Amino acid sequence: MQRTDTTYDNVSHVNHGFQHEEQRPLPYAPPSGVNPALPQYPSPQNPQYPYQISHPPHSLDRYSPAQNLHQYTPQTAPVNTHHTVAHGLYLDANPVHKAAPRRKKWPIIVGILTTLLVVGGAIAVVLWFYGVFDCNLGRRCQTDNKCVGLSQWCNGVQDCSSGEDESNCFRLFGSNFVLQKFSNERKNWENVCSNEWNDNLGRQACEKIGYDRNTYVGFDEINISGCPSNKGVALKCIECGLNNMRRIVGGSTVTSKGTWPWQVSLQISRNHVCGGSIITPYWIVTAAHCVDELSNAGAWTVYAGFLTRTEMRSATGNSVSRIVKHSNFEPRTNENDIALMKLTHPLTMTSNVRPVCLPNEGMYFDAPRECYITGWGTLSSGGSAPDTLQEAKINLISRTTCNNRPVYNGRITETMICAGKLQGGVDSCQGDSGGPLVVRENSLWWLVGDTSWGDGCAFRNKPGVYGNVTYFRDWIYEQMRKY
Ligand code: ARG
């Protein structure tokens, strides 16, 4: 974390002022519909429907036009031979007049039939390719390739072996955690009404979203339209985003434990390597580039609830059982720079160890929104590392501004979010990676980014670039469900 009081020249030439984001961050899944991670309807014409375009090799077993063509060819030959023999019989009866026209007819018929079959086969291949024969009355499960009827998705009964037909049916909306359910009949998200709700269902919904039933808090009735008494459900799957609020001074040493209780230090051989954020007692969000070449879970130790490196030196820390790196992480560009660490044993939550909230559906964080970064990273580019956790107040920078030629000239994709000061002076730096970029909303702290990259640190026009956690929400939940 770097903070200098340096005044930079030409600030007005550089800072073009706030420009609104033109695009909302898109979820990681194919960007379409209300929630791209949800059942996409298997219209064969819909090119965004992911399961019909790619055909697993064994779909050939079900319908193989190629096979039909092969079967045909050997059949043609014997038929032809047989009739040639018959010619011999006819020759006895009428040796001259009958043999000549028959010899010309058969090759023509065979030719026509072959052409028809080839054309028919080609049409079948095309139809099959576009999914007409491929589960056209339902949707295919990704894991077991079973074709499950549309009405069976989100009906409360698990049909795919992985349960994916029931896993994207609930979501939390907005900073009040309004519970929504996907309606199969109306094909949209609807608020869940509190008159038909209880804690048992709440626990189940939280589990389906990706949380552990042990972190379940409860639900509140919330005023909402479209319900009998206009009462909906605000579902708390985990107590998140709370801290011991002290007065925050931008860009300085953190003085109290519990100010950023989700901040962890990720270490290898007792050396701080990267930062991370607690999102549940088991799961830490960090950057993919932190674990890219150090992907062995056993090498890492997670330190939670500490303020100084000194304290951590004499502490035990928590072992890691699994590292899940985003499979589309691109080290050259830092595209999809996000990873998860699962701890061997769950963290015990205290006032100094607490999870941050993951942004809900419908939450957008726009420039120039105030936000905070924290970490044990170096105090300047190539500089020394602090003993005590540092914090800095910065602002979100729109993707448009951040992609301007003097800034990052088009290198900022939708999987990234920029934050900092265009005039320079305050920024995250080496060793802050993987750590949190948080925003306060509705009295809670939300994880908006994970520290990813930058050209140097705190230079003018080179703000910090963070993994766009809002964009990765569905990916994160999917991994938490899977592992
Ligand atoms: N990649 C760095 C790390 O591994 C973080 C760099 C952040 N840079 C910046 N200018 N904000 O720690």
Side-chain angles (χ1 to χ4, degrees), residues 289 427-433 451-458 463-466:
H289 82 258
D427 195 6
S428 48
C429 206
Q430 255 53 53
D432 287 323
S433 277
T451 306
S452 177
W453 64 278
D455 280 355
C457 303
V465 186
Y466 300 79

Side-chain angles (χ1 to χ4, degrees), residues 1-3 263 265 272-275 309 374-391 427-433 435 451 457:
M1 193 88 31
Q2 180 174 353
R3 183 178 190 258
Q263 170 82 57
S265 164
H272 170 93
V273 178
C274 271
R309 291 175 189 248
T374 48
W376 285 275
T378 57
L379 299 171
S380 62
S381 207
S384 65
D387 187 54
T388 310
L389 184 66
Q390 304 288 303
E391 65 182 20
D427 195 6
S428 48
C429 206
Q430 255 53 53
D432 287 323
S433 277
T451 306
C457 303

Side-chain angles (χ1 to χ4, degrees), residues 241-480:
L242 299 171
N243 66 344
N244 294 340
M245 268 299 271
R246 297 281 158 114
R247 212 165 353 114
I248 289 162
V249 213
S252 54
T253 300
V254 180
T255 51
S256 156
K257 280 189 187 187
T259 309
W260 310 110
W262 40 84
Q263 170 82 57
V264 295
S265 164
L266 307 181
Q267 307 200 350
I268 290 185
S269 312
R270 295 207 156 260
N271 288 309
H272 170 93
V273 178
C274 271
S277 306
I278 302 168
I279 53 166
T280 79
Y282 271 109
W283 290 100
I284 309 292
V285 170
T286 187
H289 82 258
C290 290
V291 298
D292 200 26
E293 276 151 32
L294 303 159
S295 56
N296 171 25
W300 292 88
T301 308
V302 175
Y303 290 83
F306 297 98
L307 214 51
T308 67
R309 291 175 189 248
T310 309
E311 286 174 274
M312 292 188 257
R313 222 162 283 141
S314 53
T316 316
N318 302 270
S319 59
V320 176
S321 65
R322 182 184 287 275
I323 290 177
V324 190
K325 185 180 73 177
H326 198 293
S327 55
N328 295 325
F329 168 61
E330 187 47 69
R332 226 172 33 79
T333 57
N334 282 310
E335 180 84 344
N336 298 302
D337 195 3
I338 192 160
L340 292 170
M341 277 189 184
K342 186 169 188 183
L343 301 175
T344 316
H345 306 289
L347 294 169
T348 307
M349 297 300 158
T350 67
S351 60
N352 298 334
V353 178
R354 283 173 162 169
V356 64
C357 298
L358 283 175
N360 289 328
E361 191 67 43
M363 291 183 79
Y364 302 106
F365 304 96
D366 290 333
R369 181 122 185 205
E370 200 171 82
C371 52
Y372 286 86
I373 45 173
T374 48
W376 285 275
T378 57
L379 299 171
S380 62
S381 207
S384 65
D387 187 54
T388 310
L389 184 66
Q390 304 288 303
E391 65 182 20
K393 182 164 91 173
I394 53 173
N395 297 91
L396 297 184
I397 296 168
S398 79
R399 192 163 296 119
T400 312
T401 304
C402 209
N403 267 327
N404 279 347
R405 180 114 41 120
V407 189
Y408 285 124
N409 194 17
R411 284 151 71 193
I412 310 303
T413 67
E414 60 188 359
T415 75
M416 307 171 193
I417 186 165
C418 293
K421 302 275 177 195
L422 283 180
Q423 70 268 32
V426 189
D427 195 6
S428 48
C429 206
Q430 255 53 53
D432 287 323
S433 277
L437 165 76
V438 291
V439 161
R440 194 167 158 85
E441 181 165 317
N442 198 15
S443 311
L444 297 172
W445 291 95
W446 304 83
L447 186 66
V448 171
D450 65 284
T451 306
S452 177
W453 64 278
D455 280 355
C457 303
F459 294 148
R460 180 164 59 92
N461 270 341
K462 302 296 169 191
V465 186
Y466 300 79
N468 185 355
V469 173
T470 310
Y471 177 93
F472 294 122
R473 167 180 48 238
D474 291 338
W475 178 84
I476 294 172
Y477 283 138
E478 195 183 316
Q479 309 316 311
M480 286 178 16

